[in-house]
């Protein structure tokens, strides 16, 4: 064979997988950054606090007769 008839070798499968994972990581990073800039989706949405400062009743008003 001469140099003109030789074919280019295909990239190694691991190189393709690595490139795909790099692209995926970049897309997730951009998506996360855009989400951080946009802020919460609901107007009154804030971080969840787990403090029991005020006692809450588990009464579901209007469901009388359910207790046995």
């Amino acid at each position: 064979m001469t140099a003109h008839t030789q074919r280019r070798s295909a990239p190694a499968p691991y190189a393709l997988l690595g490139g795909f994972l790099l692209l995926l990581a970049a897309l997730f990073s951009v998506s996360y950054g855009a989400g951080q800039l946009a802020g919460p989706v609901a107007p009154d949405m804030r971080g969840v606090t787990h403090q029991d400062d005020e006692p809450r009743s588990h009464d579901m008003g209007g469901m009388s007769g359910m207790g046995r």
Side-chain angles (χ1 to χ4, degrees), residues 43-67:
D44 204 22
M45 191 172 178
R46 293 187 181 88
V48 177
T49 59
H50 296 285
Q51 297 174 352
D52 290 325
D53 290 341
E54 61 183 67
R56 294 187 180 103
S57 172
H58 295 288
D59 182 23
M60 297 181 68
M63 301 199 78
S64 61
M66 296 290 289

Side-chain angles (χ1 to χ4, degrees), residues 4-63:
H4 296 291
T5 59
Q6 288 181 350
R7 300 181 103 197
R8 289 176 126 184
S9 62
Y14 294 115
L16 290 175
L17 179 63
F20 173 72
L21 291 177
L22 222 92
L23 178 65
L24 196 62
L27 287 175
F28 275 117
S29 298
V30 169
S31 174
Y32 181 79
Q36 288 295 319
L37 287 174
V41 294
D44 204 22
M45 191 172 178
R46 293 187 181 88
V48 177
T49 59
H50 296 285
Q51 297 174 352
D52 290 325
D53 290 341
E54 61 183 67
R56 294 187 180 103
S57 172
H58 295 288
D59 182 23
M60 297 181 68
M63 301 199 78

